[in-house]
Amino acid sequence: MCVQWILLIFSVSLTSCHSLPERIVGGSSISIRSVPWQASLQKYGKHWCGAVIYSSDIIITAAHCVKGVSAGAFSVRVGSTYTRYGGQVVKVSKILGHESFDKSLANDIAVIRLQSKLSLGTAVGSIPLAESSPATGSSASVSGWGSIGYQRPMSKALHGVSVDIVDRNKCQRSYSGFITKEMICAAAPGKDSCSGDSGGPLVSNGELVGIVSFGMDCAHPKYPGVYANVAELKPWILKAIQRI
Ligand code: ARG
């Protein structure tokens, strides 16, 4: 009887744990002003993926966010902490995804040209691309409107979380050889990006070091988040911007 009560109390407290105000897998609500390069890539007017402002008319996102969809379906919202209102909304004119992005998920990067220029200000700004990959253990932050936990709802307000760059070989072992040099891994206990954050920024030292790409589950202790490695992909990005 007593044991049953203890079990009952335990399960009640477990269920109520789930209704605590959970943040994006260990992060917290942030203002767009702290990450003015963050954009919401919208498909038919609804948040679809994260994206990053490179310049007033060039946006970077993940290839898997735009693959097989025509440019006309997309717009970006910038300068707002929310995906549904505020800031500026500009239509996409052209998309160029990496030619070698495929099932291996390597080269998960795309550049977007906007139909008109964004007006830059305190809530809307660009971020430089990293020259070299950050060292293992470097601290980085990732932001987005993605899910606040694996198979949990999307977040209406922007969230951010800080994670550490994971050793490539360690990440390679987690994903049994799947990790290429065009990928970079980051993790911290109970902290991660999640579905809906894809295409968004991983920033370290004021530079864009990664684009949210994939992960097994979210904040899984054995599986780091995997990002497109911006420093490795920089030559492709710069050429793509010339071509688009
Ligand atoms: N592929 C996901 C998206 O489309 C991003 C998943 C990131 N997962 C992670 N565990 N870091 O939004």
Side-chain angles (χ1 to χ4, degrees):
M1 177 68 160
C2 209
V3 171
Q4 273 167 347
W5 268 111
I6 289 166
L7 281 179
L8 183 66
I9 290 163
F10 191 52
S11 66
V12 165
S13 63
L14 270 184
T15 8
S16 63
C17 280
H18 287 290
S19 59
L20 283 175
E22 261 182 81
R23 309 287 186 172
I24 176 195
V25 210
S28 57
S29 262
I30 57 169
S31 160
I32 192 71
R33 285 166 197 273
S34 60
V35 286
W37 47 81
Q38 172 86 53
S40 160
L41 178 66
Q42 314 212 320
K43 190 175 155 194
Y44 303 118
K46 287 207 175 107
H47 175 78
W48 175 249
C49 266
V52 185
I53 302 171
Y54 172 79
S55 69
S56 58
D57 59 356
I58 298 289
I59 303 287
I60 299 172
T61 190
H64 82 260
C65 288
V66 292
K67 199 173 170 124
V69 187
S70 68
F74 290 111
S75 57
V76 294
R77 187 185 294 276
V78 301
S80 178
T81 301
Y82 304 93
T83 56
R84 299 197 188 162
Y85 53 88
Q88 307 163 44
V89 178
V90 175
K91 285 188 178 146
V92 167
S93 79
K94 284 182 202 158
I95 299 174
L96 193 56
H98 199 295
E99 302 73 19
S100 309
F101 171 71
D102 55 20
K103 285 184 291 292
S104 77
L105 301 181
N107 308 298
D108 194 2
I109 195 103
V111 296
I112 287 173
R113 183 173 288 283
L114 299 176
Q115 280 188 14
S116 57
K117 283 185 189 289
L118 303 170
S119 56
L120 305 182
T122 49
V124 183
S126 59
I127 183 160
L129 307 179
E131 274 305 322
S132 55
S133 306
T136 297
S138 306
S139 157
S141 44
V142 58
S143 48
W145 291 274
S147 167
I148 55 169
Y150 185 55
Q151 293 181 337
R152 304 246 356 206
M154 294 284 159
S155 166
K156 288 196 183 101
L158 186 58
H159 282 73
V161 70
S162 92
V163 286
D164 303 319
I165 302 298
V166 172
D167 174 68
R168 173 173 308 281
N169 293 325
K170 193 178 168 198
C171 192
Q172 190 67 279
R173 285 194 293 277
S174 303
Y175 286 99
S176 27
F178 206 72
I179 306 302
T180 69
K181 67 175 192 327
E182 293 84 13
M183 300 175 189
I184 189 161
C185 306
K191 299 176 175 184
D192 198 5
S193 45
C194 203
S195 324
D197 290 322
S198 276
L202 177 72
V203 172
S204 182
N205 243 321
E207 294 184 324
L208 184 69
V209 298
I211 294 289
V212 181
S213 181
F214 68 93
M216 173 78 175
D217 205 317
C218 297
H220 190 292
K222 292 209 174 74
Y223 296 96
V226 187
Y227 298 78
N229 189 351
V230 167
E232 281 293 327
L233 292 164
K234 188 175 179 185
W236 181 87
I237 296 172
L238 297 179
K239 255 185 253 148
I241 292 170
Q242 298 293 308
R243 281 195 288 145
I244 197 175

